[in-house]
Amino acid sequence: MLDQIALRAELADHYDLSPSLKTAEATADIYARMSRVVSPPDWAVFAPYVAAINRLKAERNAVILAHNYMTPEIYHGVADVVGDSLQLAIEATEVNAEVIVQCGVHFMAETAKILNPGKTVLIPDSEAGCSLAESITAEGIAEMRAKYPGAPVVSYVNTTAEVKAASDICCTSSNAAQIVAAQESDTVIMTPDRYLARNVARQVPEKRIVWWEGACVVHERFTAQELREFREWNPGTRIIAHPECPPEVVAEADFSGSTSGIIAYVQHERPEKAMLVTECSMASNISDELPEVEFIGPCNMCPYMKKITLEKILWSLHSMQGAVEVDPGIADRARLAVQRMIDLSRRLAG
Ligand code: 13P
Ligand code: SF4
């Protein structure tokens, strides 16, 4: 566990991190990307961290990969690459830098390490977990295989390296239906998200899909009733849901897709009012780019993603602590499952 007090004292010894109007002004071009959602006083606090991180990134030959759920000051301020899980996994195969800082949750950093065994992969807070990744172990996969002999195991990337190593292929929310449809067997095991599996089952009715009973603590909280009420109170609202939501929630939505799929849909459709049925930062990150779209609630916060802060990013680049390690034997087998997904995704995309 990070000692926040010691960390703060060490950073204060090396960097001037006090709120600074001068640094805020010098970074006005960066601030312009989030001025609708970050107030000027808040930017005066964030700007010295952003400037220090961007300087240190160059010194360390590091690249920052950030998930779409990062807060705006991370997403727009320090990230080199932003995206959904599939995009981040693909980008991780193409990185030239010696150091990767993964601003996301632990399974994402593990995936980057699996794909880059020779590079240093840092996660700013190793306790940034995921309720889905924590819901299943390799024993769980063995249990499913024993129950459904011969059925291939398609595991969501939201799993540990050990679980990926025990699976046949991975999937993400942007390619799950295609990966399942491409399996030869009539029965397919999907782990660990019961809602993603049920949403995929509706898209791929020709397959018998069996699933593990995991769920995302953020998306399982949305209800169909809540969406119906929002539509009634805000006629004309376009509702867009992530496929980790329960199927009855997805059924109420106008569109369902991965986090990047959601962003692309709003960028293309530009509805007057949009409700993103997913993590809160998503709407904040695209607010400045789409001022004509009014984003209305509700949103739920991912407590794991929110463990990643500017302060911890600066700390990890400064101290080079928090390097992710994966047992080489497990990494080799997990890489097969991730690489099969990437290759199949590319083939299917033509
Ligand atoms: P995406 O692959 O859609 O970004 O989803 C990752 C995730 O953790 C959503 O909760
Ligand atoms: Fe995991 Fe849900 Fe958080 Fe995504 S939003 S990292 S699935 S807990």
Side-chain angles (χ1 to χ4, degrees):
M1 181 121 115
L2 287 173
D3 177 346
Q4 200 80 22
I5 309 277
L7 172 162
R8 217 160 263 175
E10 165 85 5
L11 289 180
D13 277 351
H14 290 83
Y15 310 91
D16 183 0
L17 296 170
S18 26
S20 162
L21 277 181
K22 206 169 139 221
T23 315
E25 275 163 24
T27 51
D29 54 331
I30 302 179
Y31 178 58
R33 297 175 214 150
M34 60 192 116
S35 61
R36 281 162 61 92
V37 288
V38 173
S39 70
D42 279 342
W43 184 245
V45 173
F46 294 145
Y49 286 89
V50 168
I53 291 168
N54 287 333
R55 266 197 309 274
L56 204 49
K57 217 166 54 173
E59 277 171 41
R60 299 272 197 246
N61 188 15
V63 69
I64 295 187
L65 306 184
H67 186 260
N68 291 325
Y69 289 164
M70 289 296 104
T71 48
E73 67 278 10
I74 297 174
Y75 186 91
H76 291 295
V78 298
D80 297 292
V81 176
V82 293
D84 65 12
S85 307
L86 181 63
Q87 290 168 320
L88 296 181
I90 291 174
E91 285 293 339
T93 64
E94 289 163 4
V95 161
N96 281 323
E98 282 162 40
V99 178
I100 297 173
V101 183
Q102 181 73 54
C103 293
V105 290
H106 196 267
F107 76 79
M108 294 177 176
E110 254 189 3
T111 306
K113 181 65 183 177
I114 289 164
L115 295 169
N116 291 280
K119 292 191 197 296
T120 301
V121 177
L122 304 172
I123 178 148
D125 189 333
S126 61
E127 287 178 20
C130 167
S131 65
L132 281 169
E134 283 155 24
S135 73
I136 186 161
T137 60
E139 286 74 44
I141 300 285
E143 217 178 278
M144 293 298 275
R145 284 197 194 277
K147 220 161 142 189
Y148 304 101
V153 175
V154 178
S155 283
Y156 201 26
V157 281
N158 298 39
T159 44
T160 61
E162 202 195 31
V163 167
K164 288 183 176 77
S167 307
D168 295 297
I169 187 166
C170 287
C171 73
T172 71
S173 59
S174 65
N175 60 19
Q178 292 94 315
I179 300 272
V180 166
Q183 301 306 304
E184 278 177 16
S185 162
D186 289 339
T187 301
V188 177
I189 299 168
M190 283 191 78
T191 74
D193 188 342
R194 63 176 180 268
Y195 295 130
L196 179 71
R198 283 161 59 190
N199 286 318
V200 168
R202 282 166 39 161
Q203 291 175 277
V204 192
E206 68 275 20
K207 297 284 182 198
R208 175 186 173 225
I209 297 174
V210 293
W211 55 79
W212 188 256
E213 289 292 340
C216 161
V217 286
V218 176
H219 293 94
E220 72 175 346
R221 286 173 54 203
F222 293 107
T223 67
Q225 175 63 18
E226 180 184 25
L227 266 54
R228 279 194 290 272
E229 282 170 9
F230 261 88
R231 227 194 254 286
E232 225 175 278
W233 296 333
N234 298 277
T237 299
R238 209 74 69 86
I239 300 184
I240 308 138
H242 194 277
E244 287 170 15
C245 294
E248 61 278 13
V249 170
V250 172
E252 285 295 327
D254 298 294
F255 175 78
S256 173
S258 76
T259 55
S260 288
I262 291 174
I263 292 174
Y265 177 88
V266 183
Q267 282 168 335
H268 182 259
E269 296 287 314
R270 295 177 184 255
E272 234 171 82
K273 289 185 210 165
M275 176 177 167
L276 308 192
V277 188
T278 187
E279 215 272 348
C280 301
S281 288
M282 284 271 293
S284 310
N285 288 337
I286 53 175
S287 262
D288 276 69
E289 181 197 331
L290 300 167
E292 69 274 37
V293 181
E294 185 191 346
F295 291 97
I296 57 168
C299 69
N300 290 329
M301 199 105 87
C302 174
Y304 307 102
M305 289 278 184
K306 268 28 200 193
K307 282 187 179 285
I308 308 298
T309 61
L310 285 176
E311 187 177 55
K312 290 178 194 168
I313 297 169
L314 179 58
W315 169 253
S316 67
L317 274 169
H318 168 80
S319 67
M320 296 298 282
Q321 285 180 22
V324 175
E325 296 302 339
V326 182
D327 172 87
I330 291 178
D332 285 348
R333 286 184 288 127
R335 192 175 310 113
L336 273 181
V338 176
Q339 199 59 55
R340 276 188 197 127
M341 167 190 79
I342 293 175
D343 294 345
L344 184 54
S345 261
R346 282 188 172 137
R347 261 206 319 278
L348 294 170

